[in-house]
Each structure stands twice: as structure tokens, then as C-alpha cells.
Amino acid sequence: MSTGSETTAQARPRVLVIDDSPDVHRLLKARLKQEELEIVSSESGESGLEELKKSRPDLVLLDLDMPTMDGFEVLRAIKDNADTVHIPVIVLSGLANAEDKVAAFDLGAHDYIIKPFEFTELRVRIRAALRLNFLLRMLSQRAQIDGLTGLWNRAYFDRRVQDEVSRVQRHDGALSIAFFDADHFKSINDTFGHPAGDAVLQGLGQIIQRDSRQSDIACRYGGEEFVLIMPSTGPEDALAFCDRLRQNVEAVVWPRHPERKVTVSIGVAGASSVVGLSAAAWVEAADKCLYTAKKTGRNKVVVSDLRTGEKPAAEQPPLRKAG
Amino acid sequence: MQTSGKVEPLRSCFAGDADMVELVQEFVQELPGRAQTLAQLMQAAQLDDLRRAAHQLKGAAGGYGFPTISESAGTLEKMLHGATQNQASELQARVNELVALCNRAVAA
């Protein structure tokens, strides 16, 4: 599953060099030998963009003056793509005029080096770009992770749910969103203390993370509420999955209070094909289902199929009730 | 076109650089071939290709530690931006100069 627990640091930073001159590739490899870098070479703008998708480099060194697709076009393509916009690009150019420099920085270049380059300078500029990028990524990841559970946090969820909802609008896919809420959580805190309550939240986070698929996005919404975005999943599959998860939670024996089970209520809003609803409407629908689950006995899953407009009434028949 | 007598060899600024020894050797070996290509492109009046070759030689020669060749290639490249056949003799002189410089390069 994809959460921020992925490490930001790689053993050796990967640098993609896009330059039509074979000499530049040879020289850079020799000159950067000491730098502990993995260097990938492309000799045209077109092949460079292909390579970029494949090898996901930490830094790109990009020549401006190349036949057919020039460096400006490549830079524009890198910065127009949400998947690659964060990769820093150092422009290499034989042209020292201010106009080109300004154009490159306007397009999002990180730095600009005039060829033929002074290699000591190039090395320190590469180091500076990699260091800055590493810190930026660490910072942005920290800011998106919930400190207690290690799941994505609310801010990340708010952004990601927008992305996923607009993705299904464009590509007509399935999507489900599930809200989880620990039942009677306050009484766990009151009875066993806040450390026990924290342990429950961490445990729930682990179960959701463990049971969900690679493509699912598990977030802590706030308090004792969690939310799972399930791309490519219609409401029926989401219901089956969430009910298994509900049972798994119920089966846990908690070390701090073995006598006290923890149960969750779950509300799911899903659609197996495109519906013209905003992200806010999806979230609201899932939240309503959660409310219904709470109102009608807890420890259950209530689902709403947004495509058929079926109301939260399409709920999972109460299989088992919490004790 | 070349004056008779001893021709001063051009040495790479990186002659003593362990990282570069092999690369400089390789580059110097290739240089006469590159020079020939430049001369042929000039003869065939393929000015776009000549400009590109000059551009690449400018960068490469600089990188391998031959600033004189790099500068000469740069001058040729600049002239070729918007050059016409009218300037053929001037271009030819530049190409000759660059070819001569290339032939003077030695590895160490």
C-alpha cells in the first residue's frame, strides 16, 4: 500500500543526462565517478522523456540545443506532468544569453550551467540540487503523514480524494470511499487511559494498512476516524472488503484490555462507473452511510451505490452485533 | 595553408588528471576524423550539419581540455548561424583554421 513510509533516500541518487552529444555523456561519467551517482544517458529529447518515465531519476541534466525536440520542449513536458514536475532539472547550455536563462527558469529549471562546464562547479551544483530535493521531499512527506498511525493525514486525503474523483470522471472507472469510526472510542480512553486509546488507533491503522491493497490510500481523517480511498473498486467489492476488515478488527485481542473488544462502523460510498459528483459529495455520502451505521447498531458496514442513487438503505444485513 | 616548420602541439589542460587520461587519449585519436568530417561538410556545403558538428566539437573540446579548439569551433558555429554561400571563402578559412588546430592536438 502506498503511504509515506516509503523511504525518500535511495542508496545512490539517479541522474538522467539528456544530451545529443556522446562526448558529454562520456565526460560526465568520468567526471562524476567519485560522486556515488547512478548515471542514465539519453541522446535525444524524445528518448529522454521515455527514460524519465522508466527510471524515475532524482535529477535531470538537460541540454538545450538538440535537434528535433529541443531542451525547452523537454523541460516543458517534464514540468507539465504531475508525475515528474518535482524532479529538479539542471539545464546545460552552450548559450549564455540571458533570454534563454530566463526562459529556462520560467519553465521550472532548477539551475543553469554554461558549457563547456567547469566540472568542479558542476559537481557542487549537482550536490546542491540533490540535497535540496531530498529535503523538500522529506518535508512534504512529513507534512502529509499522521504522526500517531503513520497513515496519510487529513491534508493529504483532502487533496488525494479530489485527484481520484476527477480521475474517474475522466476515465470512467470505479471508485469507492470508506469512512471508519471506532465504536465507543471515548469509553476506551476513559476506562483504560489515553495510551490505551492511542494503541487502539495505531492498531486500527495497522489493520487497515495491512489488509488494503497496494493501490488503496489509507488515511487518518481525524480523532478515531479513518478513511480509505479504493480506486478501481465498485461498491459491492468495497462492501465485501470492508466487512472482512470489520470482522478482523472485531477479532483482535488487545494486550492492554483483552476483555474489551474494539469494533468499527463503516460507511461506504462507491460507484462502478462515472457519476457526476464532486469529491465533497462523495465524502458526504460516505459520511452519511457511516452515520446510518452508527444509528442502526454499530459494528456494521453501510454502503451507498452512487450510480444507482440507492440510498444508504442498501446496507449490509447486520451479521453480528457487538457485545 | 599551413606554414612550414615546426608546429607547436596542443596539449590538454587535463593531461595530469588521472580520471581523464583515457578519455583525452580517445578524444585525440578521434580528432583527425572529426576534422576531416568538418572539411567534407564544408566542401559539400552542408551548412546545417557543419554547424551541428562545430557545436558539438565546441562542447567536447572544452570538456577534454582543449580551449583553443573549443573557441575556434565556437567562432565557426556563430558564423554559421544565418550564413550564406556568399561568405563561403570566409567560412572555408575558419574551417581550415579549426582543422589545423585539431591536427595539432596531442594527448600528453
Side-chain angles (χ1 to χ4, degrees), chain A residues 20 63-66 93-97 100 115-116, chain B residues 38 47-60 69-84 87 90-91 94-95 97-98:
Chain A
D20 62 320
D63 182 29
L64 279 189
D65 187 7
M66 293 185 288
S93 174
L95 312 164
N97 64 61
D100 279 340
K115 286 198 283 189
Chain B
L38 290 173
L47 299 191
D48 268 351
D49 292 341
L50 181 60
R51 188 189 69 79
R52 180 142 291 282
H55 171 74
Q56 293 203 347
L57 185 57
K58 178 183 75 173
I69 298 178
S70 179
E71 264 165 50
S72 170
T75 310
L76 176 61
E77 184 197 359
K78 236 179 250 165
M79 280 187 66
L80 283 161
H81 277 291
T84 60
Q87 296 155 294
E90 215 176 317
L91 281 174
R94 285 284 153 203
V95 172
E97 179 192 283
L98 181 55

Side-chain angles (χ1 to χ4, degrees), chain A residues 54-89:
Chain A
K54 253 192 295 174
S55 58
R56 297 279 146 170
D58 299 288
L59 174 67
V60 175
L61 301 183
L62 174 65
D63 182 29
L64 279 189
D65 187 7
M66 293 185 288
T68 64
M69 186 179 202
D70 74 10
F72 287 117
E73 277 179 82
V74 177
L75 184 57
R76 202 172 287 124
I78 294 173
K79 296 299 169 186
D80 274 352
N81 183 336
D83 292 334
T84 55
V85 64
H86 64 279
I87 301 174
V89 177

Side-chain angles (χ1 to χ4, degrees), chain A residues 119-186:
Chain A
F119 285 94
T120 319
E121 179 188 338
L122 179 68
R123 275 197 286 260
V124 294
R125 284 184 189 269
I126 287 174
R127 274 183 225 156
L130 287 170
R131 189 169 54 232
L132 183 67
N133 191 239
F134 173 75
L135 291 174
L136 281 176
R137 271 163 56 190
M138 199 169 72
L139 197 62
S140 74
Q141 222 168 36
R142 286 273 161 89
Q144 296 176 154
I145 295 295
D146 173 59
L148 182 65
T149 61
L151 301 187
W152 295 112
N153 66 15
R154 170 69 186 273
Y156 181 82
F157 168 77
D158 285 344
R159 205 154 39 77
R160 189 65 191 264
V161 74
Q162 297 278 357
D163 293 349
E164 294 302 325
V165 168
S166 34
R167 198 195 305 269
V168 290
Q169 313 286 35
R170 281 199 311 273
H171 301 299
D172 190 18
L175 175 69
S176 292
I177 294 170
F179 270 89
F180 300 69
D181 190 282
D183 297 326
H184 301 299
F185 182 73
K186 191 173 174 301

Side-chain angles (χ1 to χ4, degrees), chain A residues 130-266:
Chain A
L130 287 170
R131 189 169 54 232
L132 183 67
N133 191 239
F134 173 75
L135 291 174
L136 281 176
R137 271 163 56 190
M138 199 169 72
L139 197 62
S140 74
Q141 222 168 36
R142 286 273 161 89
Q144 296 176 154
I145 295 295
D146 173 59
L148 182 65
T149 61
L151 301 187
W152 295 112
N153 66 15
R154 170 69 186 273
Y156 181 82
F157 168 77
D158 285 344
R159 205 154 39 77
R160 189 65 191 264
V161 74
Q162 297 278 357
D163 293 349
E164 294 302 325
V165 168
S166 34
R167 198 195 305 269
V168 290
Q169 313 286 35
R170 281 199 311 273
H171 301 299
D172 190 18
L175 175 69
S176 292
I177 294 170
F179 270 89
F180 300 69
D181 190 282
D183 297 326
H184 301 299
F185 182 73
K186 191 173 174 301
S187 86
I188 296 172
N189 270 333
D190 292 347
T191 315
F192 305 102
H194 282 90
D198 285 352
V200 165
L201 294 176
Q202 286 172 328
L204 292 177
Q206 274 167 19
I207 294 169
I208 295 172
Q209 192 159 19
R210 184 195 67 202
D211 290 356
S212 54
R213 294 155 309 176
Q214 192 77 29
S215 53
D216 294 340
I217 301 132
C219 317
R220 182 170 176 212
Y221 193 72
E224 66 273 26
E225 247 186 299
F226 296 88
V227 59
L228 187 64
I229 306 174
M230 292 172 276
S232 315
T233 309
E236 282 173 26
D237 291 340
L239 169 62
F241 169 76
C242 287
D243 198 58
R244 265 201 313 280
L245 209 134
R246 180 192 64 75
Q247 293 174 41
N248 290 344
V249 170
E250 195 181 7
V252 172
V253 178
W254 300 86
R256 285 168 189 264
H257 41 80
E259 73 281 16
R260 168 72 144 87
K261 290 206 168 302
V262 176
T263 60
V264 287
S265 299
I266 306 175

Side-chain angles (χ1 to χ4, degrees), chain A residues 20-24 26-27 30-31 33-34 63 65-67 94-95 115-117 119 123, chain B residues 14 17 19-20 23 26-27 30 34 51-52 55-56 58-60 62-64 70 77 81:
Chain A
D20 62 320
S21 156
D23 290 305
V24 168
R26 265 190 282 175
L27 282 164
R31 288 308 200 173
K33 213 162 42 181
Q34 316 289 341
D63 182 29
D65 187 7
M66 293 185 288
L95 312 164
K115 286 198 283 189
F117 17 70
F119 285 94
R123 275 197 286 260
Chain B
F14 305 135
D17 189 329
D19 278 353
M20 295 295 291
L23 283 183
E26 208 175 319
F27 177 68
E30 285 173 13
R34 286 199 182 203
R51 188 189 69 79
R52 180 142 291 282
H55 171 74
Q56 293 203 347
K58 178 183 75 173
Y64 293 109
S70 179
E77 184 197 359
H81 277 291

